[in-house]
Amino acid sequence: MLSDKYPVFLLREKLMFYKPRVGARPTRCAAAAGRQSVELQAHGTKGKEVGLVDEERRSLPDSVLDRAGELAMESYNFLNPLGLKGGALVHVDEVPRGLACDCVCPGCGGQLVAKKGPKMAHHFAHSKGEDCGAGYESALHIAAKDALLENHKITLPMIEVKFSSYRAPIVLESARTHDLESVVLEKRLGNIVPDVLVHIEGEPLIVEMKVTHEVDSEKFEKVRALGISAIEIDLSDLDRNMSLIDLKEHVVDPSPRKKWLHNVVAQTKHDQLVSSAHLKRRISRGMAGHIDYCPLPARVWKGKPYANIIDDCMACRYAMEIGPGRSSITCAAFNAELRDHLDDLDGA
């Protein structure tokens, strides 16, 4: 907790003295600069002066110094280095300073001014009024679309069938590169507006960019209802000064930042497998939960086969779904044909 002696507005005020190194994402240096800034403020020292001696620095609470570092990072993360000039996306370092940059905001279309002073990281700001808050995110959407249009391809993550149980996912297809037939930016599709919509072999694919927030549950359900596959690319913690060429690597090429939000092929296969399995209700015996007549069998008591849900079912590859509170198990072992099919899919 911050003490009353070091209110947040005082910490933020001195963060304007921080300027990250060009081309590098501030991490420890930001925290260090923030910590030094709050030290200067807390001791009433002018920003022009250099820091404090070690004894004075150690006298400040760690919570105050850590919060100063966080605020330094927040201040940096709000700066937008991308704008539109003549309809093309440009970096602030590619244009003249001030209004001579002749750029507009990718988010709202408002006039921008290029701020390239000696203290803060170079960035764009609105020439009139407050920042719209949508410039950087809209710029990344445009950059992603341009990268896809320029390369006419995208590498998608592997397709897996996942279950609510602890069994390993079933891999249907390894990650591979696909040719793109079309790329459209923010075009309404039913009751949602995807960041980017592409077509692969005649099938639509939604591409969502995680910049300030991920796809929420409401939008996720709308995507599922459309019956269209969708991926999310996490760009939230990228260096804002990275080049557009480097950004292309995360959008077009193989990247751990990509994940499936919804895959029609995987969902269809999941539903087929689960519908062929047997739903077995929990039988409570004292503190234990059992599934009677386990066909493996996991255990036998007086000639009667059964399985302990925690000790046996949770680790069994035939347990596909687990009900709330372990009230039931959707089990493939009771269907011999399905069990053999799962063995084939698992390569057993």
Side-chain angles (χ1 to χ4, degrees):
M1 297 293 291
L2 292 175
S3 66
D4 293 337
K5 185 178 179 182
Y6 308 108
V8 171
F9 75 89
L10 290 182
L11 303 183
R12 190 181 297 278
E13 181 178 336
K14 283 299 181 181
L15 295 177
M16 294 300 100
F17 290 101
Y18 165 66
K19 180 180 185 295
R21 177 169 59 85
V22 175
R25 184 172 187 270
T27 52
R28 295 182 180 177
C29 58
R35 288 165 73 98
Q36 183 175 356
S37 295
V38 71
E39 291 160 10
L40 296 175
Q41 175 62 45
H43 286 255
T45 310
K46 294 183 179 179
K48 295 180 180 179
E49 300 179 14
V50 289
L52 305 170
V53 296
D54 289 342
E55 289 75 12
E56 292 173 304
R57 181 176 290 112
R58 286 196 295 266
S59 68
L60 291 173
D62 285 341
S63 60
V64 174
L65 300 180
D66 291 341
R67 180 56 177 154
E70 293 173 3
L71 291 173
M73 287 295 292
E74 290 175 10
S75 297
Y76 172 77
N77 287 334
F78 288 139
L79 303 182
N80 176 27
L82 301 175
L84 285 176
K85 183 171 184 176
L89 204 59
V90 294
H91 192 276
V92 65
D93 289 333
E94 300 174 336
V95 297
R97 66 186 302 173
L99 290 174
C101 67
D102 192 27
C103 293
V104 297
C105 174
C108 66
Q111 185 182 42
L112 294 178
V113 54
K115 296 197 171 184
K116 306 171 71 172
K119 292 184 178 180
M120 295 182 66
H122 295 178
H123 65 283
F124 285 111
H126 288 65
S127 61
K128 297 179 181 179
E130 296 183 356
D131 190 287
C132 69
Y136 182 65
E137 185 165 2
S138 296
L140 286 188
H141 292 174
I142 295 172
K145 176 195 147 185
D146 290 347
L148 293 172
L149 279 172
E150 179 181 347
N151 292 274
H152 303 290
K153 64 180 181 178
I154 186 172
T155 300
L156 298 179
M158 71 167 60
I159 300 176
E160 298 177 306
V161 181
K162 297 181 180 181
F163 304 90
S164 66
S165 64
Y166 291 89
R167 88 173 314 278
I170 297 173
V171 178
L172 298 182
E173 181 179 298
S174 300
R176 70 183 181 98
T177 302
H178 301 262
D179 294 327
L180 300 180
E181 299 166 354
S182 66
V183 181
V184 182
L185 180 66
E186 296 182 344
K187 178 181 179 181
R188 176 164 289 279
L189 189 65
N191 56 356
I192 67 170
V193 180
D195 293 339
V196 182
L197 179 68
V198 303
H199 280 82
I200 300 172
E201 298 178 0
E203 296 294 329
L205 171 69
I206 293 171
V207 181
E208 290 288 327
M209 307 294 168
K210 178 183 175 182
V211 181
T212 56
H213 57 274
E214 60 187 1
V215 172
D216 58 28
S217 58
E218 181 181 357
K219 187 171 186 178
F220 172 75
E221 291 302 327
K222 290 179 179 179
V223 169
R224 287 191 56 173
L226 287 172
I228 297 176
S229 297
I231 65 167
E232 181 179 75
I233 306 177
D234 185 0
L235 306 177
S236 61
D237 61 347
L238 291 180
D239 177 8
R240 290 202 172 195
N241 272 320
M242 75 182 302
S243 69
L244 297 179
I245 295 176
D246 291 336
L247 176 64
K248 167 250 178 187
E249 296 180 2
H250 300 293
V251 175
V252 176
D253 301 331
S255 172
R257 294 179 176 274
K258 296 177 185 175
K259 72 173 184 179
W260 288 105
L261 293 174
H262 177 65
N263 184 277
V264 174
V265 174
Q267 186 65 51
T268 300
K269 188 64 176 178
H270 172 276
D271 294 346
Q272 290 174 348
L273 293 173
V274 171
S275 64
S276 300
H278 289 213
L279 178 65
K280 293 297 180 178
R281 300 294 181 184
R282 169 192 176 113
I283 304 297
S284 295
R285 294 187 175 101
M287 299 295 291
H290 295 163
I291 299 295
D292 283 347
Y293 304 106
C294 172
L296 295 185
R299 300 165 186 262
V300 177
W301 174 253
K302 294 184 177 181
K304 179 180 178 180
Y306 73 101
N308 182 291
I309 291 179
I310 294 180
D311 295 337
D312 303 318
C313 299
M314 301 292 278
C316 180
R317 73 170 185 265
Y318 300 120
M320 306 174 73
E321 303 289 341
I322 300 177
R326 305 190 189 100
S327 59
S328 64
I329 297 289
T330 301
C331 182
F334 287 85
N335 183 330
E337 184 177 346
L338 176 60
R339 188 171 63 212
D340 293 340
H341 183 49
L342 281 178
D343 290 341
D344 292 338
L345 290 175
D346 290 334

